Amino acid sequence: MIQIIEKLAFYFEYPFVRYAMIVGVLIAACSSLLGVTLVLKRFSFIGDGLAHVAFGAVSIATILNISSNIFVTAPVTVIAAILLLRTGQNTKIKGDAAIALLSVSSLAIGYLLIDTFSKSTNLAGDVCTTLFGSTSILTLKATDVYVSVVLCLVVIAVFVFFYNRIFAVTFDENSATATGTKAGHYNLLIAVITALVIVVAMNLVGSLLISALIIFPALSAMRLFKSFKSVIVCSLFISIFSSSFGILISILAGSPVGSTIVAVQLAVFLLFSLLSLVLGGRK
Amino acid sequence: MKKTLILILVLSSFSWLFSACNDNGESVAAKKTGSQNSSLENPLNPDKNEKTTEMPDKELKSEYGKPEADRAVDIDLTKLSSTMVYAEVNSIMMNPEKYLGKSIKIHGEYYARFYDPMQKFYHFVIIFDALACCEQGLEFNMAGGNYAYPDDYPPDATMVEIVGVFESYEEEGETWHRVRTEGIKIL
């Protein structure tokens, strides 16, 4: 045990490890806050869909040789999120079909473009690291760190300041509208926040595993807690713990970061499910 | 009659499609094989790969050149996990000026590639990430003697240890970075 602590202390002397922990914790916090809302609104798979759209945008940024692809990925993903979440009930292609359409199209076209036009000597590696995020969080550029921190703080601030309105729109949109809340505006806000969280979370777990980061903490918390506030707080702690622990295990054991974090979250979910069976749910 | 004609039409369409797929399949497979290998091609000169793949079998020595005896180094990548090694090498490549003059010890796979404009071989130690789909490489130069490729170097994909000093050098009007070492130890 002492050896492990000494090794961790040694690893924390590396600046990229400290940056990874800071950004990882912030990303975990944002995704947990967002996850509760998306799970309750039955939009759990939106994360996957938007992550694939973001992959397509990353492909375009790679081809255009843009040094920090977040400046292409963020706007494209925000537009896609608005199209998917804002359009509401009156669209011809609804919900999961719309997500699937946009998701697979972006993934296919993104890979097609990067395969055709990319000058990279390691195409498989570039695609693989974007999809699975094996070491992305440990290889962030300074710009990526600053932008990720700013975006995460913005997301957290939005949740803190608009908590009551987001709560109302999540549980009963019609009642919220009837009482004067502009549900449409808050749905748009949720869509933009979702896109921003997806864009920064890709650095932590990659495109394919983002849904886990969003869904698992919320579902784990819901095993034991029933009120909105308690679920959010529990989800926040679970997400921060899973991400931190996952990063530490991956740098100690040499495992891919994204997969390790998701594995930890799965273990926490199973533990909370077991606790739920033993203890019963609490309010 | 109408249904029979439609059935014949559909079956004829499928048989034509299968024959077209066969013709494209081989060329696509060959292209994919080429592109799979491209991850290790010389970014400087991918067309000269065949020069390094036609090496005759030779006896592997325990060391090449005069590798230094075990000594303390500033950056010992052999004591880090594979995830950390990948991240640290990435940091070295992204911020080389912070590492100039520092001694480095590294384990990885050895590869050599020929660069036609300069008419010489370049030597690399390659480190893979945890998924083994991405790699980082450090160029190294064996100094302190007149070493010739391939006699004084191990075969490609040999696991090696390099101890040396991180330096910069000028070539073709650009600044490059490499590890200057006295020798290669085979693992």
Side-chain angles (χ1 to χ4, degrees):
Chain A
M1 189 66 188
I2 295 171
Q3 281 179 337
I4 291 173
I5 293 169
E6 281 174 358
K7 192 135 199 166
L8 280 174
F10 170 61
Y11 282 167
F12 267 88
E13 290 173 15
Y14 290 86
F16 56 80
V17 173
R18 295 195 297 271
Y19 298 152
M21 285 303 289
I22 292 168
V23 175
V25 164
L26 286 172
I27 290 171
C30 295
S31 56
S32 67
L33 294 175
L34 181 69
V36 176
T37 303
L38 288 181
V39 166
L40 290 171
K41 284 171 81 70
R42 304 283 194 268
F43 269 118
S44 300
F45 243 82
I46 192 82
D48 213 50
L50 289 177
H52 294 172
V53 170
F55 171 79
V58 166
S59 305
I60 294 169
T62 305
I63 293 163
L64 296 174
N65 244 351
I66 295 170
S67 60
S68 194
N69 58 51
I70 203 165
F71 297 116
V72 173
T73 318
V76 170
T77 313
V78 165
I79 292 167
I82 292 169
L83 287 173
L84 283 172
L85 289 173
R86 178 76 175 85
T87 46
Q89 302 292 323
N90 297 324
T91 54
K92 287 182 183 168
I93 304 173
K94 295 195 187 340
D96 56 348
I99 294 170
L101 180 72
L102 208 53
S103 164
V104 295
S105 307
S106 307
L107 200 59
I109 290 171
Y111 187 67
L112 195 61
L113 288 174
I114 206 169
D115 188 65
T116 309
F117 296 109
S118 174
K119 299 184 184 80
S120 169
T121 55
N122 186 13
L123 174 64
D126 291 343
V127 170
C128 187
T129 198
T130 306
L131 290 176
F132 290 100
S134 64
T135 45
S136 309
I137 195 69
L138 292 165
T139 56
L140 294 173
K141 298 187 193 83
T143 324
D144 295 330
V145 174
Y146 299 138
V147 172
S148 298
V149 168
V150 167
L151 289 179
C152 287
L153 291 175
V154 164
V155 169
I156 292 169
V158 164
F159 267 96
V160 167
F161 287 118
F162 296 105
Y163 170 78
N164 292 327
R165 297 284 187 270
I166 292 173
F167 170 81
V169 166
T170 300
F171 276 98
D172 194 340
E173 199 172 310
N174 292 332
S175 295
T177 308
T179 54
T181 302
K182 290 184 178 149
H185 290 178
Y186 287 100
N187 280 331
L188 175 64
L189 184 65
I190 290 170
V192 170
I193 295 301
T194 304
L196 294 179
V197 170
I198 296 298
V199 165
V200 289
M202 273 177 66
N203 287 321
L204 186 59
V205 294
S207 298
L208 291 183
L209 301 174
I210 274 181
S211 288
L213 203 65
I214 289 172
I215 296 166
F216 268 123
L219 291 179
S220 300
M222 285 175 193
R223 299 298 99 195
L224 285 184
F225 298 98
K226 302 299 175 197
S227 76
F228 189 69
K229 192 175 270 184
S230 55
V231 165
I232 284 202
V233 170
C234 182
S235 171
L236 186 70
F237 279 110
I238 291 172
S239 190
I240 291 174
F241 166 77
S242 306
S243 298
S244 312
F245 198 54
I247 291 172
L248 293 177
I249 292 176
S250 72
I251 61 174
L252 283 171
S255 60
V257 177
S259 313
T260 310
I261 290 172
V262 174
V264 172
Q265 288 185 330
L266 175 63
V268 170
F269 173 75
L270 293 172
L271 174 66
F272 272 58
S273 299
L274 187 65
L275 283 173
S276 170
L277 285 173
V278 171
L279 299 172
R282 291 184 187 182
K283 289 193 180 179
Chain B
M1 182 66 177
K2 189 176 172 186
K3 283 184 184 175
T4 311
L5 282 173
I6 291 170
L7 186 61
I8 292 169
L9 186 66
V10 167
L11 286 172
S12 310
S13 305
F14 274 116
S15 60
W16 175 80
L17 281 171
F18 280 132
S19 65
C21 282
N22 255 348
D23 288 338
N24 290 337
E26 284 171 5
S27 58
V28 165
K31 217 173 174 184
K32 270 194 176 289
T33 307
S35 72
Q36 287 288 346
N37 287 336
S38 71
S39 63
L40 293 173
E41 281 178 357
N42 183 5
L44 304 177
N45 190 9
D47 295 331
K48 291 291 178 180
N49 253 7
E50 54 272 17
K51 280 209 176 187
T52 61
T53 57
E54 291 173 4
M55 287 173 49
D57 288 339
K58 60 176 185 178
E59 195 182 322
L60 189 64
K61 301 180 204 172
S62 61
E63 56 185 46
Y64 294 80
K66 293 169 195 152
E68 295 178 49
D70 282 339
R71 67 172 177 98
V73 293
D74 297 314
I75 302 163
D76 188 351
L77 296 175
T78 64
K79 295 207 179 335
L80 305 179
S81 68
S82 56
T83 303
M84 282 293 293
V85 169
Y86 185 91
E88 174 70 337
V89 172
N90 178 77
S91 178
I92 292 171
M93 301 317 294
M94 289 293 119
N95 310 293
E97 60 287 342
K98 290 185 188 173
Y99 295 88
L100 287 174
K102 295 201 173 172
S103 52
I104 295 177
K105 186 174 177 183
I106 186 168
H107 288 169
E109 287 188 8
Y110 164 80
Y111 286 93
R113 288 296 178 267
F114 184 81
Y115 184 46
D116 202 39
M118 297 301 295
Q119 285 293 303
K120 65 177 185 177
F121 283 91
Y122 291 80
H123 310 278
F124 303 91
V125 178
I126 305 290
I127 308 103
F128 292 90
D129 77 336
L131 280 176
C133 68
C134 303
E135 72 250 2
Q136 293 278 1
L138 272 181
E139 184 192 343
F140 72 90
N141 177 49
M142 209 153 53
N146 201 9
Y147 301 107
Y149 183 84
D151 296 327
D152 297 318
Y153 290 88
D156 278 358
T158 306
M159 278 300 294
V160 300
E161 177 183 287
I162 303 289
V163 178
V165 177
F166 193 67
E167 64 176 13
S168 65
Y169 68 99
E170 300 284 328
E171 208 166 74
E172 292 186 297
E174 300 256 358
T175 304
W176 305 91
H177 299 90
R178 65 188 176 193
V179 175
R180 188 184 74 248
T181 181
E182 300 296 318
I184 306 167
K185 197 189 284 186
I186 305 301
L187 298 175

